[in-house]
Amino acid sequence: MDFTLSEEQLMIQQAARDFAQNELLPGVVERDDAQKFPAEQVKKMAELGFLGMMVKPEYGGSGLDTLSYVLVMEELSKVEAGASVIVSVNNSLVCWGLETYGNEKQKQKYLTPLATGEVIGAFCLSEPEAGSDATSQKTTAIDKGDHYILNGTKNWITNGSSASTYLVIAQTDIEKGHRGINTLIVEKGMPGFEIGPKENKLGIRSSDTHSLIFNDVKVPKENRIGDDGFGFKFAMKTLSGGRIGIAAQALGIATGAYELALKYSKQRKAFGTEISNHQAIAFKLADMHTHIEAARHLVYKAAWDKDQGNNYDLSSAMAKLYASQVAMEATVEAVQIHGGNGFVKDYHVERMMRDAKITQIYEGTSEIQKIVISRSILKN
């Protein structure tokens, strides 16, 4: 494996870095305080091709590899994880799922506007009693011949009110267990589809997270992705790729916090010298840098596996597990290095610490990742 970035990848990385500094950084504290969705910034990310990065150009995408997507996620997440998760969901979960498993009619109707950023999408799996456990779906889709009647509630849905296209996982035949689950494409505005209140979150506050309520929503059967009963496999494969995006987000949060702490340590003085000259601080920075580099290699390896057509269930779970741990540890240390200023919003690291926590929870908690990893290594 050679992770030397190509000229094109370096250009993409720089474009994302410039965008993050020039478009996301101004106003990031205010958006966090007000839980304001970054609508204008999302529009500009669409213009840069960031919302359909891995989608083929014939469907309006950029046709780029997974590593390029990881580079963009990392740069955006250094500044505003609430904005980067919008990119992650649209790319990793919605666009990828539709392009990989949708039929041609579905791709033309739904994938193209999603890839171009004309609209954004949402992935609807989690429920009040079913987070990462897709087999425990309470949302039902009753087969009525040429359509399904959808009933249930989905929780913690990113892009909940801002999306126009929703991929909803639902149980069609409970007696079949995971073989009775389907994925339906639901459009905003379908009768009976309601968007619940916005969640008041600890972190990633600029992304809009809502519950979704489905009351006898009539969904055409042509909106089902794949054969009858394919929904569980769809959810598992899509989540596996989604973990790469969240691992990249965690990597970006950790790197952004480290860079701020490093810069601050060279400016702040205590006991007659810059605090970076004190071994207690220097050793913290050394540990942060080492752990971040280790996380980066795991994330890049998972992206490489996906691009090579290898099975990436294990590598994506390891990348997500470790990178999210590093994000939490690095942001806590960044706050510590900043001292009292680390508790102040204008220094950004307190927000990064809050944002880091969610990377250990969504796309499967750390415990879920350990289940995936242990099953993989123990079956051999």
Side-chain angles (χ1 to χ4, degrees):
M1 290 172 290
D2 181 7
F3 294 147
T4 302
L5 302 182
S6 67
E7 184 176 341
E8 181 183 31
Q9 288 169 333
L10 288 169
M11 290 175 61
I12 292 166
Q13 183 184 52
Q14 188 61 53
R17 184 175 297 156
D18 291 342
F19 175 83
Q21 291 298 320
N22 298 328
E23 301 291 342
L24 292 182
L25 187 57
V28 64
V29 173
E30 289 75 17
R31 286 192 297 275
D32 177 76
D33 281 344
Q35 295 196 89
K36 181 181 178 182
F37 184 79
E40 288 302 313
Q41 289 76 14
V42 170
K43 186 184 299 183
K44 292 177 181 178
M45 288 192 289
E47 293 169 358
L48 288 169
F50 290 168
L51 295 184
M53 293 193 67
M54 297 173 287
V55 177
K56 295 176 182 177
E58 63 192 87
Y59 298 115
S62 303
L64 297 170
D65 60 4
T66 310
L67 184 54
S68 295
Y69 161 63
V70 162
L71 295 172
V72 169
M73 279 296 299
E74 182 180 353
E75 293 300 326
L76 300 179
S77 303
K78 286 180 183 180
V79 176
E80 187 174 6
S84 70
V85 73
I86 299 165
V87 174
S88 176
V89 168
N90 209 68
N91 275 282
S92 292
L93 302 182
V94 183
C95 284
W96 186 86
L98 275 169
E99 184 172 24
T100 305
Y101 297 113
N103 59 40
E104 187 61 28
K105 184 176 180 181
Q106 291 168 345
K107 292 177 187 178
Q108 294 291 344
K109 182 176 181 181
Y110 297 108
L111 178 58
T112 298
L114 285 163
T116 59
E118 178 184 339
V119 299
I120 59 175
F123 184 81
C124 309
L125 173 65
S126 296
E127 298 183 357
E129 297 180 12
S132 301
D133 181 10
T135 62
S136 299
Q137 296 294 299
K138 301 299 183 184
T139 298
T140 59
I142 304 304
D143 192 335
K144 293 294 184 179
D146 64 345
H147 66 276
Y148 292 97
I149 296 297
L150 183 65
N151 280 284
T153 300
K154 294 294 182 180
N155 277 25
W156 312 298
I157 304 303
T158 300
N159 301 339
S161 68
S162 302
S164 295
T165 303
Y166 300 77
L167 305 188
V168 182
I169 315 298
Q171 182 70 254
T172 299
D173 189 339
I174 194 168
E175 293 183 358
K176 292 182 178 179
H178 72 274
R179 293 183 177 87
I181 294 173
N182 282 302
T183 303
L184 305 180
I185 305 170
V186 178
E187 300 174 24
K188 178 181 281 184
M190 283 183 168
F193 176 20
E194 300 175 15
I195 297 171
K198 189 173 186 176
E199 301 288 357
N200 189 3
K201 308 190 299 292
L202 172 73
I204 58 167
R205 288 169 58 82
S206 62
S207 80
D208 63 320
T209 306
H210 292 256
S211 294
L212 306 178
I213 301 98
F214 305 97
N215 292 308
D216 291 334
V217 180
K218 184 177 179 181
V219 183
K221 188 161 283 187
E222 64 185 25
N223 281 27
R224 185 186 72 205
I225 298 178
D227 296 331
D228 186 26
F230 181 69
F232 177 77
K233 184 177 180 181
F234 175 89
M236 293 301 97
K237 292 303 296 182
T238 304
L239 283 176
S240 189
R243 288 175 183 131
I244 299 175
I246 298 308
Q249 182 187 46
L251 175 62
I253 294 170
T255 305
Y258 163 75
E259 290 177 353
L260 288 174
L262 179 64
K263 181 180 179 181
Y264 184 83
S265 74
K266 294 178 178 180
Q267 297 171 342
R268 177 73 170 179
K269 290 186 177 182
F271 305 104
T273 186
E274 291 78 10
I275 62 173
S276 60
N277 291 326
H278 296 296
Q279 196 173 73
I281 301 299
F283 279 10
K284 286 182 184 294
L285 293 166
D287 283 340
M288 292 166 72
H289 183 71
T290 301
H291 296 163
I292 288 168
E293 282 300 299
R296 179 169 288 110
H297 279 75
L298 280 172
V299 177
Y300 285 14
K301 170 59 163 57
W304 182 84
D305 277 340
K306 188 170 183 288
D307 288 334
Q308 294 297 311
N310 300 333
N311 186 308
Y312 51 90
D313 293 345
L314 175 59
S315 57
S316 66
M318 291 193 299
K320 199 267 186 184
L321 173 66
Y322 187 69
S324 63
Q325 290 174 347
V326 171
M328 200 69 246
E329 293 167 1
T331 54
V332 169
E333 290 288 46
V335 171
Q336 193 72 19
I337 289 170
H338 278 75
N341 286 331
F343 232 58
V344 178
K345 290 181 179 293
D346 287 347
Y347 285 82
H348 301 290
V349 288
E350 65 84 27
R351 185 186 74 256
M352 292 176 169
M353 185 175 70
R354 290 186 283 107
D355 289 345
K357 188 59 192 175
I358 193 61
T359 67
Q360 294 183 305
I361 298 173
Y362 57 13
E363 304 306 319
T365 63
S366 296
E367 290 73 20
I368 293 293
Q369 308 314 312
K370 291 178 183 179
I371 290 173
V372 174
I373 294 166
S374 60
R375 283 178 177 173
S376 180
I377 61 179
L378 290 173
K379 73 179 180 182
N380 296 322

